[in-house]
Amino acid sequence: MINRPLFVAAFTCLLFFSCETSYENPCTHFDKLDSKMLTITSQVNEKYSSDKAFLEDFKMEQVFWIQYRDRRLRAMYPRSWDNFYRKKFGREEFNTCKCQEMVRMAKIRIADLEMYINGSDAEQADCPSMLNNK
């Protein structure tokens, strides 16, 4: 005979554990996406290595994107929010909400960067640009 309360407790624990292991911290997820962005950036630099003017513009695009990302985060999560986390954890720490926004922005940036490798989307396929090698 199965001990029903014990079975329910074990099943609940197993269900909770399996759900918990599939969760990925947004800050860890961003770190993986950041690494992917660096890899794609290297691929773009390699692909266009003979086009110095493009590489200079691309370098500035990267600088401006990072500045945009950081300023957006500063606007969304003011210093008082960061101070709260600093006091709570005793060190500067990205909160998961901030990391979720960084993940969202990184996914968009990755799609933009991949267009330098794979070409533009269908809407801009006929446009003369670096994305289409025209």
Side-chain angles (χ1 to χ4, degrees), residues 57-133:
D57 291 339
F58 180 67
K59 179 181 173 183
M60 291 312 299
E61 178 185 345
Q62 286 294 98
V63 168
F64 293 143
W65 183 81
I66 291 168
Q67 289 176 350
Y68 166 72
R69 180 199 67 197
D70 292 349
R71 287 183 174 125
R72 177 173 175 81
L73 291 171
R74 199 172 305 130
M76 290 178 69
Y77 301 102
R79 283 176 174 60
S80 60
W81 183 271
D82 287 337
N83 288 337
F84 166 78
Y85 270 80
R86 199 171 293 114
K87 285 178 186 173
K88 183 174 179 181
F89 296 106
R91 65 188 188 289
E92 191 165 336
E93 179 166 317
F94 276 131
N95 62 65
T96 55
C97 298
K98 205 173 201 179
C99 290
Q100 287 171 351
E101 179 61 13
M102 290 168 54
V103 165
R104 188 192 70 77
M105 293 177 71
K107 288 177 180 179
I108 293 168
R109 182 64 183 152
I110 286 170
D112 288 343
L113 290 170
E114 286 177 336
M115 289 191 339
Y116 284 116
I117 303 296
N118 304 322
S120 66
D121 55 14
E123 296 166 353
Q124 293 187 358
D126 294 332
C127 298
S129 71
M130 293 302 291
L131 301 178
N132 298 317
N133 295 320

Side-chain angles (χ1 to χ4, degrees), residues 45-56:
N45 284 321
E46 185 178 317
K47 180 177 180 177
Y48 296 96
S49 62
S50 63
D51 190 340
K52 300 302 179 200
F54 168 77
L55 289 178
E56 189 62 33

Side-chain angles (χ1 to χ4, degrees), residues 20-30 32:
E20 203 50 35
T21 58
S22 65
Y23 170 78
E24 182 175 24
N25 179 300
C27 297
T28 303
H29 189 183
F30 173 75
K32 290 177 184 176

